[in-house]
Amino acid sequence: MKRSREKAASELFAALYPRLAGWCRRLVDDDETAHEIASEAFTRLWARWTSVAEPRGFLYVTAANLVRDHWRKLERERRAMHRVTSEAAVRPHPEQADPSVRLLVQSLPERLRVPILLHYYADMPIREVSVLTGRKEGTVKADLHAARELLRVHLRRSLDHTS
């Protein structure tokens, strides 16, 4: 039994790791970090191997959460560096966000962020996002629409502040 479990895990790793690591690479823009995140997702899957019904979905949702944690860490580091390097410099618009799409996606609530990451960044069809997240297709479509509207508003606001 243990041998077949290891064989199944090995085959799953060979089939999914390159795509998962590539997806993470596009999100974090760093090879080493992408491989760390993909490896950690597989480690967490292995720890729950017998209780996970949909391994691929588990991997992508876990990796999305790890990417979010990575983005948060980078933001904390950026803020700390900003505090250290600037003496009492105050931004004219403290509410103004960085207009980069990555940071805007990062700021979305998880309910909206995960479908965006899976559909647009992992190129998964809505049907598959529905299965992986355990939500109805209509709910996924509504969440994607709501996320796009939020991103549109944030981008417009960011662009208005820069002009």
Side-chain angles (χ1 to χ4, degrees), residues 7-102:
K7 185 174 191 276
S10 178
E11 288 170 359
L12 185 75
F13 183 85
L16 296 181
Y17 184 84
R19 186 167 178 211
L20 181 67
W23 179 66
C24 291
R25 170 68 175 84
R26 289 191 305 275
L27 294 172
V28 299
D29 200 30
D30 177 63
D31 284 334
E32 185 176 338
T33 303
H35 286 286
E36 286 174 11
I37 289 171
S39 297
E40 178 64 21
F42 270 95
T43 300
R44 292 182 185 189
L45 172 63
W46 180 251
R48 294 165 187 79
W49 184 252
T50 56
S51 63
V52 174
E54 178 53 56
R56 185 169 185 261
F58 180 89
L59 287 169
Y60 275 90
V61 171
T62 300
N65 289 332
L66 291 169
V67 165
R68 178 204 58 217
D69 293 345
H70 172 74
W71 286 345
R72 285 180 177 165
K73 179 183 173 214
L74 289 179
E75 183 60 21
R76 284 191 305 271
E77 290 172 354
R78 188 193 63 73
R79 284 190 199 133
M81 284 302 294
H82 182 73
R83 279 193 303 272
V84 168
T85 57
S86 67
E87 303 187 344
V90 178
R91 282 182 169 196
H93 299 288
E95 76 283 352
Q96 181 178 349
D98 182 339
S100 81
V101 174
R102 183 184 64 83

